Amino acid sequence: MSVIILHPLSSSLISHPLLYPIFSPLRPLRSVLTSALATLLDLLVFLGVLYALLHRTGILKRLIRKFAEFQLSKIANGAQFTVGDIQVDILKGRAHLTDVVAHTPQRSEWMWDSP
């Protein structure tokens, strides 16, 4: 049997001793969900602050450039690459590399005549 009592002045539910046995199985789940949500919010705030710090100091752009150089090196069978600048569009999934230099032991084979 459950009894719900409305407070006459505020029309809000008042906890009644008869309501505790009905909702007692949900209390552990509620505490777990509350702590999980608090942890998730803390993690999101931390990641946001970390991203802002890395972006503001330029470290994020350097990390992306080093990653691009590493991936180009893997594609070109170990040839070393130097990227001057990189612009990344995360939403479109595209990167624009400028001033890319390939450093290979076979430099003479990479030469070409200028037009």
Side-chain angles (χ1 to χ4, degrees):
M1 179 173 153
S2 63
V3 176
I4 299 175
I5 300 173
L6 292 176
H7 192 272
L9 297 177
S10 68
S11 72
S12 63
L13 290 173
I14 296 177
S15 300
H16 193 271
L18 292 176
L19 294 177
Y20 290 133
I22 296 171
F23 295 110
S24 64
L26 298 179
R27 283 190 183 178
L29 179 63
R30 181 178 158 197
S31 66
V32 167
L33 289 177
T34 304
S35 65
L37 183 62
T39 304
L40 178 66
L41 288 176
D42 289 343
L43 180 66
L44 289 176
V45 168
F46 173 74
L47 289 177
V49 169
L50 181 66
Y51 174 78
L53 179 69
L54 292 177
H55 179 69
R56 184 74 175 150
T57 58
I59 295 172
L60 185 64
K61 193 169 189 174
R62 281 182 277 182
L63 289 173
I64 293 172
R65 188 172 66 219
K66 289 295 179 187
F67 179 74
E69 290 173 354
F70 177 72
Q71 292 299 322
L72 285 172
S73 177
K74 280 178 31 179
I75 291 170
N77 295 327
Q80 190 177 20
F81 283 87
T82 302
V83 176
D85 190 29
I86 186 168
Q87 295 176 355
V88 179
D89 186 1
I90 296 174
L91 297 177
K92 292 183 181 177
R94 296 182 183 173
H96 181 74
L97 305 174
T98 56
D99 300 329
V100 179
V101 178
H103 306 280
T104 64
Q106 302 88 8
R107 282 188 288 259
S108 59
E109 295 175 16
W110 285 74
M111 292 181 141
W112 63 87
D113 293 329
S114 303

